[in-house]
Amino acid sequence: MDPRTPGAAAVPGAQELLACEPNAGRDRIRRVGIKDVAREAGVSLGTVSNVLNRPEIVAESTRSRVLQVIDSLGYVRAEGARPLRGWASRVLAVLIHDLANPFFTALASGVEEAAREADLGIMVCTGAHRPAEAARHLSLITSHQVRGAVLTSGEGAGRTAAAFRRNAVPYVMADQNAPQPGTCSVGIDDLAGGHAAIRHLLERGHRSLVYVSGPDRLQQVRDRRAGALGALGEAGVAASALRELPCAGLTVDAGRDAGHRVLGLPDRPTAVFCANDLLALGVLQALYEAGLRVPDDIAVLGYDDIEFAASAVVPLTSVRRPASAMGRRAGRLLVEDTAQGTRHTHSHVVLQPELVVRRSTMAVPAR
């Protein structure tokens, strides 16, 4: 049953869209080298070497120009590097945003499971959304000849993926909802997830709703909003029934602040849909501190279904994203893509979310 149709249950499983380009094309990618840096900066090889090894003897203006070229080209020193095909490395890397977010912990665990199946180990790198950290991770990965990496999408992911491509490091994108040429990706249908969340609240009788969202630059945040609005339209409810309270981050603190803003609204909603569970847990805290009863006074619905959702003071209804399954599938695709003597066809895998109903939305609002 289609998850976008009224009355449909959550749909497990995955849909694959083949991108139809084999991995052989990446073998022709040439790693950015020191000669490229010298040519682009208009200096000698020796000058580039000095910038890298003895920067104090290079004029500041020249050093600055060379460093800018190194950054723009994505040059990475790889001591003792060998061609990627034929590497003996038994390690995969996974770059995530924050181990404090259980969603990413579960995703990394899924990658580890796939690596273990192939008798490989993993290197977990955090802070992947920060450019300086992503560059440091890439340097470690190339220097230690890691076999390939699973990259999580989000802020800074495009820049990180481009740097990996420039250095011919195999990678698979996780939590990526649009296929990219030349690589595999695994995503989750967040349009369906946002649709399922709002449809559930509408079925419970709610007509005054708030969407506590995150940074609009994140595709997942936009997709969940679009799915929510789609559910309103299908039910014949005006889009104005869903007010949005944006947050700068997707954290408990941001959710607590949003909860206080909900309390300050002149026409308080009967239900709050949050872009992730950490926001929802923060909203729950703010409502609880204000003496409101969840769900009797106001319902709260989260997204991700992290392990803390079920054990909250009021068990949280949430849209489950199969983080572990996504990591496992991404890891398996990376293993296949980097296996010697194989011809791999890149694919984009879309996993379906599942609505998990708990006590935080079980009451019917007063009419």
Side-chain angles (χ1 to χ4, degrees):
M1 187 178 294
D2 189 332
R4 292 179 175 80
T5 58
V11 179
Q15 175 186 8
E16 292 192 24
L17 304 176
L18 298 184
C20 298
E21 66 266 286
N23 62 7
R26 191 181 54 236
D27 295 337
R28 295 190 295 270
I29 299 175
R30 183 173 61 83
R31 185 184 298 274
V32 175
I34 192 171
K35 291 182 180 179
D36 301 300
V37 175
R39 182 172 59 253
E40 184 71 18
V43 298
S44 67
L45 291 174
T47 298
V48 177
S49 178
N50 285 335
V51 169
L52 294 171
N53 299 296
R54 295 188 296 168
E56 69 280 359
I57 70 171
V58 183
E60 183 178 352
S61 59
T62 302
R63 183 170 68 247
S64 176
R65 184 167 75 253
V66 171
L67 290 175
Q68 287 177 358
V69 170
I70 286 173
D71 180 66
S72 65
L73 293 182
Y75 169 73
V76 176
R77 297 170 64 177
E79 295 82 355
R82 295 166 281 173
L84 287 180
R85 293 297 168 185
W87 273 9
S89 174
R90 307 296 299 170
V91 176
L92 303 179
V94 54
L95 275 67
I96 62 176
H97 294 248
D98 185 5
L99 274 175
N101 186 332
F103 175 81
F104 292 113
T105 306
L107 190 152
S109 295
V111 177
E112 182 182 28
E113 183 177 335
R116 190 167 56 247
E117 291 172 354
D119 195 26
L120 304 173
I122 69 164
M123 170 195 299
V124 179
C125 306
T126 62
H129 57 295
R130 296 190 292 270
E133 283 297 297
R136 187 174 71 86
H137 298 328
L138 177 57
S139 180
L140 286 171
I141 286 167
T142 54
S143 296
H144 291 80
Q145 301 173 350
V146 170
R147 182 165 169 169
V150 172
L151 310 180
T152 50
S153 69
E155 189 174 358
R159 177 187 176 98
T160 301
F164 275 66
R165 283 196 301 273
R166 285 195 298 265
N167 287 275
V169 177
Y171 67 92
V172 170
M173 292 299 304
D175 202 13
Q176 173 69 44
N177 291 326
Q180 292 187 352
T183 190
C184 293
S185 57
V186 183
I188 294 174
D189 190 346
D190 284 315
L191 287 170
H195 188 285
I198 295 302
R199 185 181 64 232
H200 169 71
L201 294 175
L202 292 175
E203 289 173 349
R204 300 298 301 169
H206 296 281
R207 293 297 183 272
S208 177
L209 311 166
V210 161
Y211 176 41
V212 174
S213 67
D216 203 57
R217 59 183 174 272
L218 298 179
Q219 183 66 47
Q220 294 90 334
V221 169
R222 300 196 301 271
D223 283 351
R224 291 164 202 175
R225 178 199 303 120
L229 292 174
L232 291 174
E234 287 183 11
V237 178
S240 59
L242 181 68
R243 290 170 284 176
E244 183 169 359
L245 294 180
C247 297
L250 297 169
T251 65
V252 173
D253 285 344
R256 190 180 299 111
D257 174 72
H260 291 306
R261 285 187 281 157
V262 168
L263 291 168
L265 291 173
D267 180 19
R268 197 172 66 207
T270 62
V272 179
F273 168 43
C274 299
N276 79 348
D277 285 341
L278 296 181
L279 288 173
L281 292 173
V283 168
L284 278 174
Q285 288 181 10
L287 299 179
Y288 180 79
E289 291 167 0
L292 268 70
R293 298 168 301 162
V294 176
D296 302 273
D297 296 322
I298 187 168
V300 179
L301 194 153
Y303 206 101
D304 286 344
D305 196 35
I306 61 176
E307 60 179 325
F308 301 135
S311 57
V313 61
V314 178
L316 183 66
T317 295
S318 185
V319 177
R320 176 178 295 163
R321 293 205 299 158
S324 180
M326 180 166 58
R328 186 165 55 251
R329 190 60 184 272
R332 288 171 177 169
L333 286 171
L334 183 61
V335 170
E336 294 170 6
D337 190 17
T338 57
Q340 298 182 41
T342 64
R343 189 170 179 84
H344 172 78
T345 300
H346 295 305
S347 61
H348 177 56
V349 179
V350 181
L351 304 178
Q352 293 299 322
E354 176 187 1
L355 179 69
V356 180
V357 179
R358 299 190 181 95
R359 190 156 62 89
S360 70
T361 61
M362 290 306 294
V364 176
R367 297 184 184 276

